[in-house]
Amino acid sequence: MVAMSYHTTPTPLSNWLDQLRGSTVTHVTDEDRRLVAGIHQREPELKGMRDDRMKRWSGWLQTRAGRGESLDRLLPDAFSGMREAARRVLGERAYDCQLLAGLMLHRGRLAEMGTGEGKTLAAIFPAYLNALLGKGVHIFTFNDYLAQRDAAWMGPVFEFLGMSAAAVFEGQNPEQRRHAYAADVTWMSAREAGFDYLRDSLAMDPTELVQQRPFHFAIVDEADSILIDEARVPLVIAGQADEATSDPARLARVVAELEAETDYQVDEYGLNVFLTEQGFSRAEQLLGLPLHEEAHLAELAGLNLALHAATLLHRDVDYIVRDDKLESIDALTGRIVDKRRWPHGLHAALEAKEGVAIHKEGATLGTIALQHFVRLYPKLAGMTATARPSARELAEVYDLHISVIPPNKPCIRRDHANRVFSHKQAKQDALVGEICAAHAQMRPVLIGTASVAESEALAEVLADRGLACQVLNARTHDQEAAIIAEAGAPGAITISTNMAGRGTDIKLGGADERERERVVALGGLLVIGTNLHESRRIDDQLRGRAGRQGDPGESRFIISLEDDLITRYKVLSLIPKRYQPVQGKAPITHPIVTRELARAQRIIEGQCASIRRTLWSYAAITEQQRRLVRARRDAILRGEESAFSNNEKRQAAAALIGEQAMVAHEREIVLLHLDKGWAEHLYLVEHLRDGIHLTRYEGKDPLIEFRKKMSDAFDGFEQKVEEAAGKSLENAELTEQGFRLDDDLKRPSSTWTYLANDNPFGNDPRFGLMGSAGIGYAVFSFFYAPLILFAAAARRLFRPK
């Protein structure tokens, strides 16, 4: 059975029916095509222009935009000019599909383009058009590497037309970042822009800001990944905190002495671990402490964190250890995530488990989730190859509606039905057999695996068969470009984690495409997936490495009923007992089994979306409060609002140090109090979130209770800050150099940014939602409570008051 790609051309009737059903997905219309035809009509005139005249012509467009002429009216001229500039600078003439995608992006839509259709080039058309206003355009890429690549690649096209282009990436100093943000078009990862936003939220002078202009227009590449999969990941800026009162290294040694089943037990879903009564007594004996006493609550909390680190998070699956450093692996991309830490002391527990240097977590000074950060842009657009499965969520959360862009060339890749086996050994035998058969023909093969450990284990099996292969995973990410460059060469075998799932362009025949025709004759690249993912979008991204721009190719997933996704979600419970497969070497072909596997994946997608919506509901009130505080802070920082209403000490101080210095000191004092008050408020938010689910036992709705408590906590926030600031000004010692502030009111001597892994054990159980326990019913395990309560206790003890 073969399933072709879903990028098909709809009929007018199907378009009408989709809209009648309330679909948020639309397709290209005849009117859109006429607009592209108008762009074509300007091409002969522009081809005859000299380079210097084209730059003057671009300046004329900027003048028209500055005078208030609508961008829609300027669009045909701007797009045709950009197309000609790209042809001259890059030697690439944009396809109509790229112009159509650019049109949809300008309209603030999410353009769904097939893999290999040239999204990078498509983005420059709306970017140029909107940059004519002089307000700056940001293009969010998947990572820093792509930001630098795209800026170096596409930047010269903008410069050809008299515009500036730059990239923001980790390692730049504030001045370099300030310069990059001042450019007409700036490429960066969304998280890097978010970190700069958080750093700016601690600035004490307007000159310290790196994002000097208000946000205007953002184009999000790989939009489904950034806006859905990564959206809830909190970006955090932290400062120094009090030292923890427990010793993670000592607690890790104690846990290593405990025995599974006897001293602790893992629940059947692998989501939680808890001490038995015997294990609790043994831990007390090993530590020499009465853990049940309140004085040793920190040690008890730390012990549970150490137990979770030892049993629920795994090396070479969830993280790797390299250069005496523990590095987190993103489950969705397979890549190392710089600066990502597990929260609430769990990261330190993992570092202790692995015997590497233990780093401080610090006190949270500011935080924002990516989904909230990107919504700060008045105009937002996106592009990806796999948007439709998340159409509803994208519309609900971001008001982003999908426009399906027809491909430049029809996709002829063959997407085969899954081959399903009863157990892992049968699956591996079939997998190796298929790889060997393809290699015997010298056909290139790309195998997508679920983890570093799995990719390396498969490589060893193939090596035993005498087959050389390249392994691309978090451990070899620095070789990514070289490995991908040759993944399409004859006979190449490339084993990869999800790193090869997005943003990789595998050229048939190798880097120079010298043997392209030979590979084409063999059927193109063969892509094999070894595990289904929680989202079909991620499966489709892997399939999309083959069959790009009309190339031939094939894809197939070879899976087993013992795979993690299937066992973790108890998918087999959906299959009637009389159809339960028996263990055997042959693939399972019964339609009920294959149908239920497909249905289970759709259900899992729905559950994950439901959890994201609930998390969004919890975060919404905090985000509203954060915006109010940030607006007040920015107004004070820029001198648009006075820092104080009145103060008796002010006149004498101003006479001594001068009015200008006095204004600066007032601003500093109130901003420091504002930052301190917000940090304390965030501490309260975390504390409430840890335990709010327990209100279910009182018959209350946790979300309603959370909103009430958050509203009460924020009531009078600004007034409290102003009163505290006024008191500080009254009590501060005045010298000829200015005010000498108390130590607890000074800026932190150091700050650092990191990503908090908001959900280290799968679907977040803290809200009593559907977890990874199974399909079709909500779960809430009593055993979640100990971890949550211990984590809450750890925060109360480890964080500064």
Side-chain angles (χ1 to χ4, degrees), residues 494-568:
T494 308
I495 302 173
S496 177
T497 56
N498 287 350
M499 286 180 65
R502 288 185 186 268
T504 54
D505 189 5
I506 298 175
K507 299 182 184 298
L508 299 187
D512 57 6
E513 300 184 82
R514 184 180 306 167
E515 298 191 78
R516 172 181 168 79
E517 294 307 316
R518 180 184 177 189
V519 174
V520 167
L522 292 170
L525 180 69
L526 172 61
V527 173
I528 304 175
T530 65
N531 293 267
L532 295 179
H533 296 88
E534 289 184 350
S535 170
R536 290 167 294 166
R537 292 181 293 102
I538 302 174
D539 293 345
D540 289 341
Q541 284 287 345
L542 180 60
R543 293 184 189 275
R545 297 315 98 194
R548 300 162 74 85
Q549 278 293 334
D551 285 343
E554 289 183 76
S555 72
R556 163 173 278 140
F557 279 74
I558 299 177
I559 62 175
S560 87
L561 299 179
E562 293 180 345
D563 289 347
D564 177 67
L565 184 79
I566 294 170
T567 57
R568 180 157 41 99

Side-chain angles (χ1 to χ4, degrees), residues 74-95:
L74 294 174
L75 187 148
D77 284 331
F79 274 37
S80 59
M82 202 58 177
R83 186 188 216 179
E84 177 60 19
R87 187 187 68 81
R88 296 188 191 188
V89 175
L90 305 176
E92 297 184 25
R93 180 180 179 274
Y95 302 124

Side-chain angles (χ1 to χ4, degrees), residues 231-389:
R232 78 182 215 215
V233 176
L235 308 176
V236 180
I237 186 166
Q240 289 180 323
D242 294 345
E243 293 294 329
T245 55
S246 64
D247 183 350
R250 183 189 180 198
L251 294 170
R253 291 192 295 270
V254 169
V255 166
E257 295 289 322
L258 303 180
E259 296 180 5
E261 300 301 326
T262 304
D263 295 324
Y264 62 86
Q265 294 179 352
V266 178
D267 72 6
E268 60 179 311
Y269 310 120
L271 280 175
N272 196 41
V273 60
F274 52 93
L275 290 168
T276 63
E277 185 175 346
Q278 177 177 324
F280 188 88
S281 299
R282 185 153 188 235
E284 284 189 317
Q285 182 182 5
L286 290 169
L287 285 169
L289 297 171
L291 292 175
H292 59 281
E293 293 184 2
E294 185 175 352
H296 300 293
L297 188 59
E299 286 81 4
L300 181 56
L303 180 67
N304 277 269
L305 290 170
L307 190 58
H308 277 74
T311 57
L312 301 184
L313 293 170
H314 307 288
R315 186 170 180 165
D316 293 339
V317 176
D318 302 296
Y319 61 89
I320 64 171
V321 176
R322 182 172 55 186
D323 300 329
D324 194 37
K325 182 181 177 184
L326 188 143
E327 298 180 305
S328 172
I329 297 174
D330 190 303
L332 296 168
T333 67
R335 297 176 184 275
I336 292 295
V337 186
D338 292 333
K339 299 181 177 179
R340 177 175 288 184
R341 293 178 61 83
W342 281 275
H344 319 328
L346 183 56
H347 200 93
L350 282 166
E351 289 170 328
K353 164 190 170 182
E354 297 294 346
V356 300
I358 299 175
H359 297 83
K360 299 178 184 177
E361 181 176 311
T364 300
L365 304 178
T367 181
I368 188 170
L370 276 175
Q371 64 185 172
H372 293 132
F373 174 69
V374 298
R375 284 168 58 91
L376 296 175
Y377 286 80
K379 184 174 181 178
L380 183 68
M383 50 188 182
T384 184
T386 48
R388 271 178 277 180

Side-chain angles (χ1 to χ4, degrees), residues 566-580:
I566 294 170
T567 57
R568 180 157 41 99
Y569 284 91
K570 296 189 174 295
V571 174
L572 286 180
S573 65
L574 292 176
I575 302 173
K577 287 186 177 180
R578 65 181 179 275
Y579 297 116
Q580 290 278 341

Side-chain angles (χ1 to χ4, degrees), residues 4-65:
M4 299 303 293
S5 170
Y6 58 71
H7 289 282
T8 56
T9 302
T11 64
L13 178 60
S14 66
N15 266 335
W16 180 79
L17 289 173
D18 283 344
Q19 293 179 17
L20 192 63
R21 288 192 292 263
S23 173
T24 61
V25 179
T26 61
H27 297 79
V28 171
T29 65
D30 290 340
E31 183 181 347
D32 300 327
R33 296 185 186 280
R34 283 194 292 271
L35 190 52
V36 170
I39 296 170
H40 287 312
Q41 291 174 359
R42 289 162 168 78
E43 195 168 21
E45 177 188 354
L46 289 166
K47 278 188 175 181
M49 280 189 187
R50 298 192 312 271
D51 289 359
D52 59 338
R53 189 182 168 202
M54 280 204 70
K55 187 169 291 189
R56 292 196 301 272
W57 173 85
S58 177
W60 173 64
L61 289 182
Q62 289 178 276
T63 301
R64 290 169 62 188

